[in-house]
């Protein structure tokens, strides 16, 4: 057996003759010098990154309460003394040194999960997510706390003659200064015409996605529409008694020229949009959840709470609607999509595994799943040509950051979340027929996604549309079928 080397050096007699305190100091120094045990693990200087948070606190934050950062690296402790911010009037700051390359997920509390970061209505907001790459300062403004309703702090929109909607005057054009994007961002909103005469009334709200805010309301977005848009569809349904009044919101989730799609994701590399206007920081998820929804809640006659809020979208907008609903299911009650571009989880395979309950068969060029369920949940098919399209370089990085993509892809989000998180959601997923693949239909992607829903015991009220095409006329018809379904759920008491 190997013996540990003893380290008791001989002490010169001259030292022993000196005062006792000096001898003790000498002995301690010698013992420390020969202690070969390793010290506490430290982060190598090359991989250490310093982050500084500077947080503007909501009006009404109790002045005597402490503010804490809580995240996935401290087991979500709500009052960790090591993550206590330093308060100074309405601001609070914290500096940490963390390891480069990790993904931080975090929120803020006042020492208890009953007092966590929320919107101005008191509804908890999604956690912040940060990929640690370089030292940086993070400037945030908190909208509210879950136990305190904020009655002020959001500017009411003012009429601006220059912001008349050139596509359809029935929809109001509004510019919002986004804290998340750091720029002004335009959206369109349709409010029921009778709302002004009934100021106390509140209505369910549906957010409709595609890319540019104009697309759902522009009658000439393509030649198929015949000078109609989704507002015509909505008003015809109201006139027929099929639905009641709703607020429709059309967010802009793209560059102003509609070249770069934000995909409702906090872009991993917004610099790859080459300075395109309308992108700003690229934090489109935060813009929608932290800026736009609170702004709508504070300034328009919408019913409060997730039970009266839904999302729907066409093509890339279908991805956005389903992505945000699977990522934050507690924010919504309904989710729809027409011919959505859903990326395949896992790797390409001609084996359709029974462990995932996917029964669809398709050519090898239309990847489904692998027989390795772990790689399905934690991967994205790199053979998916759409996923590799350069359009998505700003969103998912180039080469692709798979971990980040998995955290933002509807199929992975569905597979990585317990099914009971989605049980309250009503799904209205539709897509074109197989005969129109691959250029005029996303049949395989739609069928793939609803098979995953079925595998989790979730019911989709929709499916393949026999005469469907990838056109705006068909997107409008999707809303003609699904608006009554959205309304029935969102208007319920």
């Amino acid at each position: 057996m190997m013996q540990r080397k003893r380290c008791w050096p001989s002490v010169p007699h001259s030292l022993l003759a000196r005062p006792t305190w000096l001898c003790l100091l000498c002995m301690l120094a010698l013992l420390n010098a020969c202690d070969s045990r390793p010290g506490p693990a430290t982060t190598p200087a090359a991989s250490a990154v310093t982050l500084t948070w500077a947080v503007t606190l909501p009006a009404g934050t109790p002045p005597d309460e402490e503010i804490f950062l809580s995240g996935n690296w401290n087991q979500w402790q709500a009052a960790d003394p090591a993550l206590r911010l330093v308060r100074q009037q309405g601001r609070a700051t914290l500096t940490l040194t963390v390891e480069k390359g990790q993904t931080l997920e975090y929120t803020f509390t006042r020492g208890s999960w009953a007092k966590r970061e929320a919107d101005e209505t008191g509804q908890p907001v999604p956690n912040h997510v940060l990929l640690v790459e370089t030292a940086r300062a993070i400037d945030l403004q908190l909208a509210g706390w879950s136990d305190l309703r904020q009655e002020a702090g959001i500017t009411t929109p003012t009429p601006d003659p220059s912001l008349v909607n050139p596509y359809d005057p029935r929809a109001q054009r509004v510019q919002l200064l986004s804290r998340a994007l750091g720029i002004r961002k335009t959206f369109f909103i349709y409010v029921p015409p009778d709302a002004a005469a009934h100021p106390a009334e509140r209505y369910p709200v549906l957010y409709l996605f595609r890319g540019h805010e104009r697309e759902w309301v522009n009658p000439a977005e393509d030649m198929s529409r015949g000078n109609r848009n989704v507002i015509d569809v909505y008003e015809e349904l109201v006139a027929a008694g099929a639905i009641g009044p709703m607020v429709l919101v059309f967010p802009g989730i793209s560059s102003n020229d509609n070249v770069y799609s934000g995909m409702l994701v906090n872009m991993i590399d917004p610099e790859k949009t080459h300075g395109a206007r309308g992108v700003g920081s690229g934090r489109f998820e935060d813009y929608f959840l932290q800026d736009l929804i609170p702004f709508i809640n504070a300034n328009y006659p919408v019913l409060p709470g997730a039970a009266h809020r839904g999302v729907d979208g066409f093509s890339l907008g279908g991805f956005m609607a389903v992505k945000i609903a699977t990522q934050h299911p507690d924010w919504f009650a309904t989710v729809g999509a027409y011919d959505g571009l859903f990326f395949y989880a896992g790797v390409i395979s001609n084996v359709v595994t029974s462990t995932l309950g996917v029964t669809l068969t398709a050519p090898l060029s239309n990847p489904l799943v692998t027989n390795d369920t772990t790689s399905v949940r934690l991967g994205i098919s790199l053979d998916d040509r759409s996923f590799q399209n350069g359009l998505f370089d700003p969103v998912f990085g180039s080469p692709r950051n798979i971990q980040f993509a998995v955290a933002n892809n509807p199929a992975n989000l569905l597979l990585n979340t317990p099914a009971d998180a989605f049980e309250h959601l009503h799904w209205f997923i539709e897509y074109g027929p197989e005969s129109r693949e691959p250029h005029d239909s996303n049949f395989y992607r739609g069928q793939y996604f609803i098979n995953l829903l079925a595998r989790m015991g979730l019911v989709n009220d929709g499916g393949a549309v026999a005469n469907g095409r990838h056109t705006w006329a068909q997107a409008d018809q999707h809303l003609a079928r699904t608006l009554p379904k959205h309304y029935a759920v969102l208007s319920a008491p």
Side-chain angles (χ1 to χ4, degrees):
M1 178 180 295
M2 182 178 293
Q3 299 287 331
R4 182 178 177 183
K5 182 179 179 181
R6 295 178 62 86
C7 190
W8 291 95
S10 58
V11 180
H13 185 270
S14 59
L15 287 180
L16 296 176
R18 298 186 180 188
T20 304
W21 63 268
L22 182 58
C23 292
L24 288 174
L25 288 177
C26 293
M27 287 291 291
L28 286 172
L30 289 168
L31 288 172
N32 285 335
C34 68
D35 189 355
S36 60
R37 291 173 295 173
T42 58
T43 301
S47 63
V49 173
T50 300
L51 303 175
T52 298
W53 281 269
V55 179
T56 300
L57 302 176
T61 301
D64 58 339
E65 292 191 339
E66 295 176 325
I67 310 300
F68 295 88
L69 189 66
S70 177
N72 56 355
W73 68 96
N74 80 329
Q75 290 74 52
W76 297 101
Q77 297 179 57
D80 186 346
L83 297 181
R84 181 173 56 239
L85 281 72
V86 177
R87 287 193 63 171
Q88 186 173 10
Q89 297 180 343
R91 298 273 282 177
T93 59
L94 176 69
T95 298
L96 290 179
T97 300
V98 299
E99 185 177 351
K100 182 178 180 180
Q102 63 181 309
T103 299
L104 304 184
E105 187 174 351
Y106 63 91
T107 189
F108 297 91
T109 79
R110 301 196 331 272
S112 164
W113 282 112
K115 302 176 181 181
R116 64 164 294 182
E117 181 186 357
D119 65 19
E120 80 291 340
T121 69
Q123 177 170 300
V125 299
N127 299 323
H128 305 276
V129 179
L130 174 65
L131 176 63
V132 180
E133 295 182 305
T134 60
R136 59 178 294 189
I138 302 133
D139 198 303
L140 296 173
Q141 180 154 2
L142 307 191
W145 299 106
S146 58
D147 63 323
L148 299 174
R149 181 181 175 88
Q150 303 298 311
E151 300 295 346
I154 297 182
T155 304
T156 301
T158 55
D160 184 344
S162 68
L163 294 179
V164 172
N165 184 344
Y167 307 102
D168 190 327
R170 293 174 294 182
Q172 183 183 2
R173 185 183 181 199
V174 182
Q175 279 193 341
L176 168 64
L177 178 58
S178 167
R179 298 186 182 101
L181 295 174
I183 57 174
R184 292 189 179 275
K185 197 64 182 167
T186 301
F187 68 90
F188 293 153
I189 183 169
Y190 175 88
V191 177
D194 293 339
H198 303 89
E201 290 293 321
R202 295 292 180 267
Y203 311 100
V205 59
L206 182 66
Y207 291 84
L208 294 172
F209 298 100
R210 172 59 170 84
H212 198 280
E213 61 273 11
R214 71 162 191 268
E215 294 186 68
W216 277 103
V217 300
N218 180 14
E221 194 62 33
D222 68 15
M223 297 298 293
S224 73
R225 266 184 150 165
N227 204 34
R228 289 167 48 83
N229 65 14
V230 73
I231 297 177
D232 294 302
V233 172
Y234 163 84
E235 292 190 343
E236 288 170 0
L237 290 169
V238 171
I243 62 173
M246 301 178 69
V247 172
L248 306 178
V249 183
F250 311 95
I253 309 294
S254 71
S255 57
N256 290 353
D257 58 10
N258 210 22
V259 170
Y260 296 99
S261 174
M263 299 294 283
L264 211 54
V265 166
N266 289 338
M267 287 180 167
I268 200 168
D269 196 356
E271 291 79 11
K272 283 189 166 61
T273 61
H274 309 292
R277 297 180 63 187
V279 174
S281 70
R283 291 167 49 203
F284 283 96
E285 178 190 329
D286 289 347
Y287 160 65
F288 178 59
L289 297 176
Q290 299 175 16
D291 295 334
L292 184 57
I293 288 181
F295 186 83
I296 297 297
N297 289 347
N299 293 289
Y300 293 95
V302 299
L303 287 165
H308 307 291
R309 183 186 306 129
V311 286
D312 210 316
F314 168 43
S315 191
L316 292 182
F319 172 96
M320 298 180 204
V322 176
K323 176 261 184 187
I324 204 69
T326 50
Q327 194 170 37
H328 303 288
D330 55 335
W331 278 66
F332 309 99
T334 62
V335 52
Y338 177 68
D339 229 26
L341 181 67
F342 306 127
F343 300 127
Y344 299 103
V347 298
I348 191 168
S349 173
N350 58 0
V351 176
V352 182
T353 172
S354 60
T355 59
L356 284 180
V358 178
T359 57
L360 173 71
T361 58
L364 186 63
S365 59
N366 299 287
L368 294 177
V369 294
T370 169
N371 54 9
D372 178 351
T373 58
T374 300
S375 68
V376 169
R377 291 186 299 101
L378 303 179
I380 300 280
S381 174
L382 297 180
D383 295 285
D384 187 339
R385 293 180 182 177
S386 293
F387 181 63
Q388 293 295 350
N389 191 305
L391 170 70
F392 305 123
D393 287 355
V395 179
F396 300 119
S398 179
R400 294 289 183 261
N401 184 312
I402 298 302
Q403 182 181 4
F404 181 79
V406 163
N408 288 279
N409 183 42
N412 298 90
L413 289 164
L414 198 66
L415 292 168
N416 287 317
T417 307
D420 57 7
F422 305 115
E423 288 179 347
H424 70 286
L425 276 174
H426 295 255
W427 303 83
F428 311 131
I429 312 296
E430 296 186 339
Y431 41 90
E434 186 174 17
S435 60
R436 293 288 182 182
E437 279 275 3
H439 303 298
D440 203 16
S441 166
N442 280 321
F443 170 83
Y444 293 122
R445 297 176 187 276
Q447 191 74 24
Y448 167 72
F449 189 81
I450 68 164
N451 281 342
L452 293 182
L453 288 176
R455 174 242 175 184
M456 299 185 70
L458 304 171
V459 177
N460 177 57
D461 187 354
V465 178
N467 62 344
R469 303 190 66 174
H470 201 81
T471 66
W472 273 106
Q474 291 294 323
D476 291 338
Q477 285 304 302
H478 163 73
L479 263 296
R481 291 184 293 271
T482 59
L483 269 175
K485 301 174 184 179
H486 282 291
Y487 180 78
V489 175
L490 301 179
S491 62

